[in-house]
């Protein structure tokens, strides 16, 4: 009997000790979460006052106190980002931009759909003039099946815009574009000739081919996207210019036909968007009935 009572006493003692440890751990967790929120409040205050280094310190302390806090990582990324000074090429400043990129990418590893983090990385690559890294970053989103179709379309549009600019810089250069005014009717005629540097012409051709593919992909994922059709239209015009430079009249005529079709679709979408905008404005301006 005494042995049974002793065993019961031991079991009770173990249960009490275990319960105490659980409650202590739970209590510490609650306290740390509260302290973490307080640190984030301090970070927000420092951020508003422009003390970004201090804000980063508070944000890191918040993450340390509560590793499950979903807000702290974004606070860390933002506060590092704000310490970067665009246009300053010092190693320290460039390292700060890279640290911000790393922090945003940590967020994206946990939540690939975080738009703020994605756009911040794109902005920083652009500010650093890391054009290849920026293109790779956008291409990664465009090619990802995990990205929703409209966002894939947006990514392809950005890529198409860059390739259009690549060709436009060549075709609109004063050394290749000539404008002639007919004195009899005052009409302007524009003609194009190959640039002296063959590499420029070849690069423009590569950009147009790539850009048209990107514009088509954008349309595939978002068929009624006005910007996608607009860049397709402008890239076909670039293709027509390059065909003229290369003395390929048949190709120029074909590209011109495709250009007219794309322009018509772009115009239709633009008119529809304008109509929707006007209708929304009328709804906002109209007083409620009754």
């Amino acid at each position: 009997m005494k042995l049974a009572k002793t065993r019961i006493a031991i079991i009770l003692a173990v249960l009490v000790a275990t319960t105490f440890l659980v409650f202590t751990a739970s209590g510490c967790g609650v306290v740390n979460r509260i302290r973490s929120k307080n640190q984030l409040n301090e970070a927000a205050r420092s951020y508003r006052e422009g003390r970004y280094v201090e804000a980063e310190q508070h944000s890191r302390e918040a993450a340390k106190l509560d590793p499950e806090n979903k807000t702290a990582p974004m606070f860390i990324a933002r506060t590092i980002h704000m310490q970067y000074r665009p246009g300053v090429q010092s190693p320290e400043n460039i390292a700060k931009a890279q640290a911000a990129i790393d922090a945003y990418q940590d967020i994206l590893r946990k939540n690939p759909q975080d738009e703020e983090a994605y756009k911040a990385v794109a902005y920083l690559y652009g500010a650093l003039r890391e054009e290849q890294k920026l293109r790779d970053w956008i291409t990664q989103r465009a090619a990802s099946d995990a990205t929703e179709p409209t966002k894939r379309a947006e990514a392809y549009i950005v890529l198409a815009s860059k390739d259009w600019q690549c060709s436009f810089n060549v075709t609109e250069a004063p050394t290749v574009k000539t404008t002639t005014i007919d004195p009899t009717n005052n009409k302007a005629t524009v003609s194009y000739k190959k640039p002296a540097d063959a590499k420029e012409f070849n690069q423009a051709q590569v950009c147009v081919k790539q850009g048209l593919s990107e514009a088509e992909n954008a349309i595939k994922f978002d068929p009624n996207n006005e910007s996608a059709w607009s860049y397709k239209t402008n890239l076909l015009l670039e293709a027509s210019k390059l065909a003229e430079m290369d003395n390929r009249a048949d190709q120029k005529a074909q590209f011109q036909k495709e250009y007219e079709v794309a322009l018509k679709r772009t115009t239709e979408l633009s008119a529809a968007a304008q109509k929707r905008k006007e209708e929304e404005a009328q709804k906002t301006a109209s007083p409620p009935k009754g």
Side-chain angles (χ1 to χ4, degrees):
M1 190 70 172
K2 287 183 179 180
L3 183 58
K5 288 182 178 180
T6 301
R7 286 178 178 173
I8 292 172
I10 291 171
I11 292 170
L12 288 174
V14 171
L15 287 173
V16 169
T18 304
T19 304
F20 175 76
L21 289 173
V22 170
F23 275 109
T24 300
S26 176
C28 286
V30 171
V31 170
N32 283 342
R33 284 194 290 274
I34 293 171
R35 290 172 64 192
S36 178
K37 288 181 180 179
N38 289 337
Q39 285 293 323
L40 287 180
N41 289 335
E42 290 299 321
R45 183 180 294 108
S46 298
Y47 186 94
R48 288 194 298 270
E49 295 172 358
R51 293 180 282 112
Y52 302 121
V53 174
E54 186 177 313
E56 180 190 349
Q57 292 170 348
H58 285 301
S59 301
R60 290 191 182 281
E61 183 62 24
K64 182 179 177 181
L65 287 165
D66 182 9
E68 300 302 316
N69 189 303
K70 296 181 180 180
T71 306
M74 182 57 78
F75 267 57
I76 293 170
R78 286 177 185 169
T79 53
I80 300 172
H81 187 162
M82 291 305 295
Q83 293 172 59
Y84 167 68
R85 294 170 292 166
V88 177
Q89 296 300 310
S90 68
E92 295 80 9
N93 194 48
I94 293 173
K96 189 62 68 175
Q98 187 58 57
I101 289 171
D102 292 342
Y104 283 123
Q105 289 180 334
D106 283 342
I107 293 169
L108 287 163
R109 273 188 277 275
K110 296 177 181 177
N111 179 17
Q113 305 306 320
D114 193 301
E115 278 299 295
E116 180 180 346
Y118 167 77
K119 290 179 179 178
V121 171
Y123 166 80
L124 287 164
Y125 278 142
L128 291 171
R129 299 179 182 176
E130 294 276 8
E131 285 302 318
Q132 189 55 54
K133 287 183 178 180
L134 175 57
R135 175 174 277 278
D136 291 345
W137 182 249
I138 299 169
T139 301
Q140 181 181 333
R141 165 168 277 207
S144 173
D145 291 334
T147 304
E148 62 183 79
T150 55
K151 294 193 186 311
R152 292 183 74 174
E154 288 172 4
Y156 276 119
I157 290 167
V158 174
L159 294 171
S161 72
K162 289 182 175 297
D163 283 318
W164 168 80
Q165 188 69 57
C166 161
S167 178
F168 187 81
N169 289 342
V170 174
T171 62
E172 292 298 307
T175 54
V176 302
K177 178 182 177 181
T178 302
T179 304
T180 305
I181 306 295
D182 187 340
T184 60
N185 54 22
N186 206 35
K187 287 186 177 180
T189 302
V190 180
S191 58
Y192 299 90
K193 65 178 182 179
K194 275 188 179 181
D197 187 349
K199 289 181 180 179
E200 290 184 8
F201 177 77
N202 293 336
Q203 184 59 50
Q205 283 192 310
V206 170
C207 288
V208 166
K209 183 178 179 180
Q210 190 169 258
L212 282 170
S213 175
E214 291 155 351
E216 290 290 359
N217 276 324
I219 292 168
K220 180 179 73 175
F221 288 112
D222 191 357
N224 296 319
N225 189 304
E226 181 188 345
S227 293
W229 278 98
S230 178
Y231 275 110
K232 178 180 179 178
T233 303
N234 289 327
L235 281 157
L236 285 167
L237 184 58
E238 288 301 303
S240 174
K241 295 177 188 177
L242 294 172
E244 179 180 334
M245 288 181 184
D246 209 23
N247 295 317
R248 295 181 179 273
D250 54 339
Q251 283 191 359
K252 179 182 177 181
Q254 181 59 39
F255 285 131
Q256 196 65 35
K257 287 180 182 178
E258 294 178 29
Y259 163 80
E260 295 294 340
V261 172
L263 178 61
K264 181 181 178 182
R265 182 58 179 152
T266 303
T267 304
E268 290 171 351
L269 290 169
S270 178
Q274 182 61 33
K275 184 178 180 181
R276 287 194 299 271
K277 185 177 179 181
E278 290 172 357
E279 289 173 349
E280 288 298 321
Q282 287 178 354
K283 288 179 182 178
T284 305
S286 301
K289 295 181 180 180

